[in-house]
Amino acid sequence: MDQSVAIQETLAEGEYCIIAVQGVLCEGESRQSRLLGLVRHRRKRGQEHALFMYMHRRMAITGDDVSLDQIVPVSRDFTLEEVSPEGELYILGSDVTVRLDTEELSLVFQLPFGSHTRMFLQEVARACPGFDPATPDPEFLWLSQYRCTRPEPEQPTPLGWNSPPGTGPPCAGIGGGVSDFDDSRSDKTGLLVDPSSCGQDTPDNLLTRQNKSKYEITDMVRSSTITVSDKAHILSMQKFGLRDTIVKSRLVQKEEDYTYIQNFRFFVGTYNVNGQSPKEGLRPWLSHGIPAPDVYCVGFQELDLSKEAFFFHDTPKEEEWFKAVSEGLHPDAKYAKVKLIRLVGIMLLLYVRHEHAAHISEVEAETVGTGIMGRMGNKGGVAIRFQFHNTSICVVNSHLAAHTEEYERRNQDYKDICSRMQFCQIDPGLPPLTISKHDVILWLGDLNYRIEELDVETVKNLIEEEDFQTLYAYDQLKTQMATKAVFEGFIEGELTFQPTYKYDTGSDDWDTSEKCRAPAWCDRVLWKGKNITQLSYQSHMALKTSDHKPVSSVFDIGVKMVNEERYRKTLEIVHSLDKMENANIPSVSLSKREFCFQNVKYMQLQVQSFTIQNGQVPCQFEFINKPDEKSYCKQWLNANPSRGFLLPDSAIEIELELFVNKTTATKLNSGEDKIEDILVLHLDRGEDYFLSVSGNYLPSCFGSPIHTLCYMREPILDLPLETIRELTLMPLQTEDDGVQLENPLGIPKELWMMVDYLYQNAVQQEDLFQQPGLRSEFEHIRDCLDTGMIETLSASNHSVAEALLLFLESLPEPVICYNTYRNCLECSGNYTASKQVISTLPTFHQNVFNYLMMFLRELLKKSAKNHLDANILASIFGSLLLRNPAGHQKLDTAEKKKAQEFIHLFLCNSP
């Protein structure tokens, strides 16, 4: 996921986030997540750069998810140097540890090794004012040191830029920090590099590269600089000219001419640990009774079940289980940790044997949350993709929706993970990779599919008889795969072990709690691809820490290796073809140039596609910005892929995706924006093609202001567009300025419909506002609200609850108006003062706030049944009702706690 988009939303005019990387700030024993963004500011005198450091508590998708911690200018005293962390496990194939030094501070970060970190460090090097483009490519320098030289500056750098973490000066438009790069910084700087560390790999000289020492192998793992036996490296050279792209693509096209298959042993394991800390060794699961694997893929779910882990990102359990796994690996081999990725309680670890580290490259990791509002990470997936020699591999660990009846929600979670999980490629001319674009896919996790149509006793009797074949006939995953609803093309081995869920913790006894859950094969391993042989598939009853049993599967996977002599011959052929083709001008034909999207609705994706058919010349294409515009298309539109490369006589399908969300809905509702746009498709060395997009948007209560909805006594879709426009553009304070329109409602009728539905049906619903609903049901709820046909509303309590949260999130002005935000935080510990602040809100906003608090207090009266408490509700609603007006940033940790305290006061006190 490109997290620079989230940073960009927080920046002032003239500032641009070039690239962002997620890392860990290391201060003694403390480990805190930080999002680092390299920001450029253009000025009349040139341009300046700084590192912006953000705190965040979940994957940064929008500016609401991050808060600025500090700004460090890339100035005369700036250095960024790799350092060796303590502990051999980290040295071999670990994340990259770097130290950032200025005159005022020294910080240590761990950054994920792989292509994206390499690109980030390249850009930092280029940002040094004295960087010379004639120097060797920074790709091969990033294990050295990035340092700006220190001539006498014309004026000193302001000390405010180099403040310790969390002490930066206030920043207008950013929410803590500096809104403008300082004019006084005019020092001329240059980059000092170690010439001995420089090198340049091309397809011609890759074969001569030798890697002998332990240290060199370690460096290769970190930098993803690999020997020739690696299609990944052929495709990821940093020279992205058209000629190199042609050569690389031709080599991939002909790779069967110079590759052969060799088997490697993979261990794949999954364990739902039920929020427990390690209480026993993991060798019975990870290494007992098997030869030492070449690769370990180890996944966990429910790493931490605490409320803090649900609403925040950090957890001590990560380090505990990482250490337990590292100690449980096979004793007959030495392993390097390639990557660790975690989303709340879902964690995935990838290790390789030390001798294979040199052949691992292009390591990327991503996360997708599928919890409430499609964001919370209590459910979802994490994935690591990498190249092993010439084979691309993607490992996915997922935790899907719970409960027997929720199989449709599990199916939706799977589809969301597949569609939203995207990995950046090193070549910026290539589109992101999806899970399906890999040679081998290994999918593990607590998939949560249950056994249905059988009562608990029948299930237990079949298990006792070891009649797993009969029991498997009632397995939901089997049924859903048979109908191709999920995991199409995937394979699962035969289930010859008893269900892995649910046991009494610390025993092998089935669940004896009040709920008495039926046993089920929740924990599974599936695969997709060629040359894969499953050697074992089993559970491990010896481990009793959790209410689940761990599962493992061992595979022999055929990996493509390079025959060096055949590779040389193929390269010669490719070069000869390249010389003949490179002199010609590319030309393409488009199957369609006009696109009309009818009846576009809020948060309902529409997709139209067209084909680009290439002629006789290789070409690169890209959608480009129109003059004076910041993007190639409007925010509600996206082309997928937006750029790419075509070989002669080849074709590619481009999808135009139209999706209206909270960011774009308000202007479409009011008519300020329309479904109209022109896209410019540009060919490198060729002509431009113009595509027209048109359509109509159906106005919705989602994205409409509170006061506008209060003046709409009729459903929004029954009103003329001009009336909607007039009401939407009406000033917020109209009702307090003596201007009274006819018969306004006290609160929006749509809000009342959802709250009343929940009050009538869901006050005892367990996990309300914590478990997501179904997308199809949200669309039905939206249509009922927009048409006023509430009597036809038929949806689960969870879907209606999520729709209510999405409604509040979509309000262009939050319930607690931006101009009272600071006052709310200041009086968060004083109920009397807090009530006074609420009394200053516009009437409609006061009414909505009081109505919501009254409803939430009713829910708390039923906490024995719904298991809600004031802290949970205050956390959920605090971030929706109170939003930071400074760049619409998400609340930082301190502000989030104050917002929670503010809401908590009203939940625990009667009016």
Side-chain angles (χ1 to χ4, degrees):
M1 179 179 294
D2 183 6
Q3 298 186 81
S4 64
V5 175
I7 292 178
Q8 188 63 48
E9 291 185 14
T10 72
L11 300 180
E13 184 176 355
E15 297 173 352
Y16 174 70
C17 182
I18 300 171
I19 189 171
V21 64
Q22 185 172 326
V24 176
L25 174 62
C26 306
E27 296 178 309
E29 297 298 321
S30 172
R31 298 292 185 271
Q32 300 179 45
S33 295
R34 286 293 185 273
L35 184 61
L36 308 182
L38 179 63
V39 176
R40 178 181 67 226
H41 182 68
R42 293 191 183 277
R43 307 184 61 81
K44 292 181 180 179
R45 300 172 57 184
Q47 62 184 21
E48 296 170 337
H49 297 81
L51 281 183
F52 280 48
M53 303 180 189
Y54 292 82
M55 293 184 290
H56 62 110
R57 292 294 181 173
R58 56 188 176 193
M59 179 61 66
I61 299 172
T62 70
D64 294 337
D65 296 326
V66 297
S67 59
L68 187 65
D69 180 32
Q70 64 177 319
I71 298 173
V72 180
V74 181
S75 59
R76 61 187 178 86
D77 62 345
F78 177 95
T79 63
L80 188 64
E81 181 180 11
E82 186 193 10
V83 294
S84 297
E86 296 180 1
E88 189 177 27
L89 248 159
Y90 284 92
I91 293 176
L92 296 176
S94 74
D95 294 347
V96 179
T97 302
V98 297
R99 185 175 65 239
L100 188 160
D101 287 312
T102 70
E103 289 182 353
E104 301 296 326
L105 56 78
S106 179
L107 302 174
V108 175
F109 294 92
Q110 284 184 347
L111 305 180
F113 81 84
S115 59
H116 190 68
T117 292
R118 179 171 57 195
M119 291 174 67
F120 176 82
L121 294 172
Q122 277 184 260
E123 294 296 342
V124 171
R126 291 191 178 101
C128 288
F131 174 70
D132 182 1
T135 60
D137 195 318
E139 172 192 0
F140 303 98
L141 310 181
W142 74 289
L143 289 177
S144 301
Q145 185 181 77
Y146 299 99
R147 180 189 301 273
C148 298
T149 59
R150 302 188 181 187
E152 287 299 319
E154 296 176 14
Q155 297 185 34
T157 301
L159 292 178
W161 277 69
N162 293 331
S163 304
T167 64
C171 170
I174 297 181
V178 178
S179 63
D180 195 8
F181 291 116
D182 194 273
D183 274 325
S184 67
R185 294 187 302 108
S186 57
D187 48 304
K188 305 300 180 183
T189 59
L191 181 69
L192 297 182
V193 299
D194 176 6
S196 66
S197 68
C198 302
Q200 180 79 15
D201 284 341
T202 67
D204 300 281
N205 67 20
L206 280 170
L207 294 173
T208 64
R209 192 171 176 86
Q210 298 296 321
N211 304 283
K212 298 177 181 179
S213 72
K214 177 190 297 187
Y215 185 73
E216 287 172 337
I217 291 176
T218 302
D219 286 352
M220 286 194 298
V221 174
R222 287 176 173 164
S223 65
S224 301
T225 306
I226 309 302
T227 61
V228 65
S229 304
D230 183 359
K231 174 184 71 176
H233 197 229
I234 295 169
L235 286 176
S236 63
M237 294 177 297
Q238 293 296 305
K239 299 297 184 182
F240 295 127
L242 178 61
R243 183 176 182 276
D244 293 305
T245 305
I246 294 171
V247 171
K248 290 183 284 186
S249 299
R250 289 288 194 186
L251 286 172
V252 173
Q253 196 176 43
K254 294 177 174 292
E255 71 174 358
E256 290 187 2
D257 294 345
Y258 59 85
T259 59
Y260 62 95
I261 300 298
Q262 179 174 320
N263 282 336
F264 291 86
R265 187 69 49 88
F266 280 64
F267 176 97
V268 180
T270 177
Y271 194 7
N272 182 319
V273 296
N274 193 33
Q276 304 297 309
S277 295
K279 299 174 182 176
E280 52 196 345
L282 300 184
R283 283 197 173 175
W285 170 38
L286 298 176
S287 56
H288 179 70
I290 60 172
D294 296 296
V295 180
Y296 271 102
C297 311
V298 183
F300 294 94
Q301 307 83 39
E302 294 190 358
L303 204 72
D304 193 332
L305 296 177
S306 67
K307 294 169 186 173
E308 290 75 17
F310 181 79
F311 294 108
F312 300 95
H313 183 73
D314 297 330
T315 172
K317 300 291 181 66
E318 175 183 309
E319 185 66 26
E320 293 175 6
W321 283 102
F322 165 64
K323 182 179 178 181
V325 172
S326 299
E327 292 173 349
L329 300 179
H330 208 289
D332 293 345
K334 197 170 187 179
Y335 291 91
K337 186 197 80 172
V338 176
K339 188 67 181 173
L340 180 156
I341 182 72
R342 180 176 61 82
L343 175 67
V344 187
I346 310 169
M347 185 169 78
L348 179 61
L349 283 158
L350 177 66
Y351 297 84
V352 298
R353 288 179 71 145
H354 177 221
E355 57 265 34
H356 301 317
H359 304 290
I360 299 288
S361 71
E362 291 195 48
V363 180
E364 300 291 343
E366 287 294 347
T367 68
V368 170
T370 62
I372 192 76
M373 301 171 71
R375 299 276 292 280
M376 289 293 189
N378 56 317
K379 294 293 188 291
V382 301
I384 300 172
R385 65 91 49 205
F386 59 99
Q387 297 285 147
F388 189 23
H389 291 278
N390 268 55
T391 295
S392 62
I393 300 172
C394 183
V395 185
V396 185
N397 174 23
S398 66
H399 191 192
L400 308 185
H403 307 304
T404 302
E405 68 279 4
E406 294 288 349
Y407 68 90
E408 289 183 339
R409 177 68 219 191
R410 287 188 274 280
N411 294 354
Q412 180 176 298
D413 286 351
Y414 163 79
K415 293 173 183 175
D416 282 349
I417 292 169
C418 289
S419 63
R420 291 167 51 197
M421 190 79 74
Q422 295 189 337
F423 306 93
C424 294
Q425 298 200 68
I426 296 178
D427 188 337
L430 297 177
L433 288 171
T434 59
I435 294 172
S436 62
K437 301 296 185 180
H438 290 82
D439 298 323
V440 173
I441 306 169
L442 302 171
W443 197 304
L444 58 108
D446 180 358
L447 307 187
N448 250 324
Y449 287 96
R450 309 300 175 91
I451 293 168
E452 58 185 357
E453 299 182 19
L454 297 178
D455 60 59
V456 175
E457 289 307 314
T458 301
V459 171
K460 290 180 178 178
N461 289 337
L462 289 171
I463 295 170
E464 186 70 25
E465 297 167 4
E466 297 188 359
D467 190 356
F468 300 134
Q469 186 173 1
T470 299
L471 192 62
Y472 182 56
Y474 297 92
D475 177 71
Q476 286 180 339
L477 180 57
K478 175 184 182 297
T479 303
Q480 295 304 305
M481 288 179 66
T483 61
K484 297 184 178 181
V486 289
F487 292 102
E488 185 172 2
F490 279 82
I491 301 171
E492 183 181 24
E494 182 181 358
L495 294 172
T496 59
F497 51 91
Q498 70 184 47
T500 55
Y501 174 82
K502 177 180 183 178
Y503 296 87
D504 287 339
T505 301
S507 75
D508 294 332
D509 301 327
W510 297 116
D511 181 24
T512 58
S513 69
E514 180 182 351
K515 294 181 180 179
C516 194
R517 303 282 193 191
W521 285 294
C522 290
D523 311 283
R524 314 288 274 264
V525 176
L526 299 91
W527 75 91
K528 187 177 184 179
K530 298 179 180 179
N531 304 311
I532 303 174
T533 302
Q534 188 179 54
L535 304 178
S536 68
Y537 190 23
Q538 60 184 319
S539 65
H540 298 266
M541 299 294 292
L543 273 67
K544 307 181 192 301
T545 296
S546 172
D547 57 354
H548 290 248
K549 298 297 183 182
V551 168
S552 71
S553 182
V554 177
F555 297 94
D556 270 348
I557 297 180
V559 171
K560 287 175 281 190
M561 312 286 284
V562 169
N563 180 297
E564 296 182 3
E565 183 60 32
R566 290 179 182 176
Y567 172 81
R568 291 184 187 278
K569 292 181 180 179
T570 305
L571 186 61
E572 291 173 3
I573 296 172
V574 168
H575 277 314
S576 64
L577 290 172
D578 169 45
K579 292 176 182 177
M580 290 187 293
E581 295 170 341
N582 203 37
N584 297 316
I585 297 175
S587 177
V588 301
S589 61
L590 309 184
S591 63
K592 187 178 180 181
R593 298 197 192 192
E594 296 183 355
F595 304 86
C596 184
F597 293 85
Q598 295 289 343
N599 299 327
V600 177
K601 296 181 179 182
Y602 183 78
M603 284 186 67
Q604 186 164 327
L605 178 68
Q606 286 197 29
V607 179
Q608 293 191 31
S609 62
F610 69 98
T611 301
I612 303 176
Q613 177 66 53
N614 193 24
Q616 300 303 308
V617 179
C619 77
Q620 285 180 299
F621 67 87
E622 180 180 8
F623 288 96
I624 60 173
N625 299 1
K626 298 179 285 294
D628 301 322
E629 294 193 7
K630 297 180 179 180
S631 177
Y632 69 85
C633 65
K634 291 187 176 180
Q635 283 185 285
W636 38 259
L637 188 63
N638 180 58
N640 185 26
S642 62
R643 54 192 175 187
F645 171 78
L646 287 169
L647 288 168
D649 296 318
S650 65
I652 188 171
E653 183 180 58
I654 306 293
E655 291 187 334
L656 296 184
E657 303 166 336
L658 200 159
F659 187 75
V660 176
N661 59 18
K662 63 179 181 179
T663 305
T664 54
T666 302
K667 288 187 175 181
L668 287 168
N669 281 335
S670 68
E672 287 185 86
D673 191 14
K674 296 181 179 179
I675 305 295
E676 293 178 358
D677 203 1
I678 298 292
L679 303 185
V680 182
L681 180 66
H682 173 72
L683 300 188
D684 187 20
R685 300 182 306 123
E687 62 179 299
D688 293 339
Y689 299 80
F690 297 89
L691 290 73
S692 67
V693 176
S694 62
N696 69 296
Y697 179 70
L698 298 180
S700 174
C701 63
F702 289 87
S704 295
I706 288 176
H707 67 283
T708 300
L709 294 174
C710 287
Y711 282 113
M712 291 182 182
R713 298 191 67 87
E714 300 298 323
I716 193 169
L717 287 179
D718 288 351
L719 295 175
L721 292 178
E722 187 57 33
T723 301
I724 298 173
R725 175 179 173 80
E726 292 175 358
L727 293 175
T728 302
L729 297 178
M730 183 176 62
L732 172 61
Q733 295 291 342
T734 295
E735 78 272 17
D736 292 336
D737 292 340
V739 179
Q740 292 294 326
L741 300 184
E742 184 179 354
N743 298 323
L745 300 167
I747 62 173
K749 57 188 176 303
E750 296 83 2
L751 175 66
W752 175 84
M753 291 174 184
M754 289 184 284
V755 170
D756 184 66
Y757 185 95
L758 294 172
Y759 182 73
Q760 299 294 333
N761 300 283
V763 291
Q764 298 186 35
Q765 176 68 59
E766 188 176 351
D767 295 331
L768 195 67
F769 295 116
Q770 297 171 78
Q771 181 173 320
L774 290 171
R775 183 170 296 110
S776 59
E777 291 189 345
F778 167 76
E779 294 170 358
H780 167 67
I781 295 165
R782 178 205 59 214
D783 291 346
C784 288
L785 297 176
D786 290 341
T787 60
M789 300 178 65
I790 192 63
E791 66 278 359
T792 65
L793 179 58
S794 176
S796 71
N797 295 334
H798 294 301
S799 293
V800 178
E802 186 171 24
L804 173 59
L805 298 180
L806 290 169
F807 174 82
L808 296 173
E809 184 186 45
S810 74
L811 294 172
E813 182 81 16
V815 175
I816 299 175
C817 301
Y818 287 125
N819 61 10
T820 60
Y821 170 77
R822 290 295 169 191
N823 292 337
C824 291
L825 298 188
E826 289 171 2
C827 64
S828 59
N830 187 323
Y831 182 48
T832 301
S834 297
K835 287 195 297 181
Q836 180 60 35
V837 174
I838 294 299
S839 70
T840 66
L841 294 175
T843 303
F844 297 137
H845 285 248
Q846 282 188 55
N847 293 344
V848 169
F849 180 82
N850 291 329
Y851 182 64
L852 287 171
M853 294 302 104
M854 180 175 63
F855 168 61
L856 296 180
R857 285 193 293 267
E858 289 298 313
L859 289 179
L860 291 175
K861 292 177 182 179
K862 305 292 183 181
S863 59
K865 292 288 186 181
N866 58 38
H867 298 159
L868 289 171
D869 64 38
N871 287 328
I872 291 176
L873 292 178
S875 295
I876 295 170
F877 283 86
S879 60
L880 295 173
L881 304 182
L882 272 168
R883 299 187 221 152
N884 192 327
H888 293 218
Q889 285 182 271
K890 187 184 182 298
L891 283 60
D892 63 25
T893 303
E895 289 183 344
K896 185 169 184 177
K897 289 182 178 178
K898 288 185 177 181
Q900 180 178 338
E901 291 172 3
F902 183 87
I903 301 300
H904 194 275
L905 288 174
F906 291 89
L907 296 179
C908 297
N909 292 279
S910 299

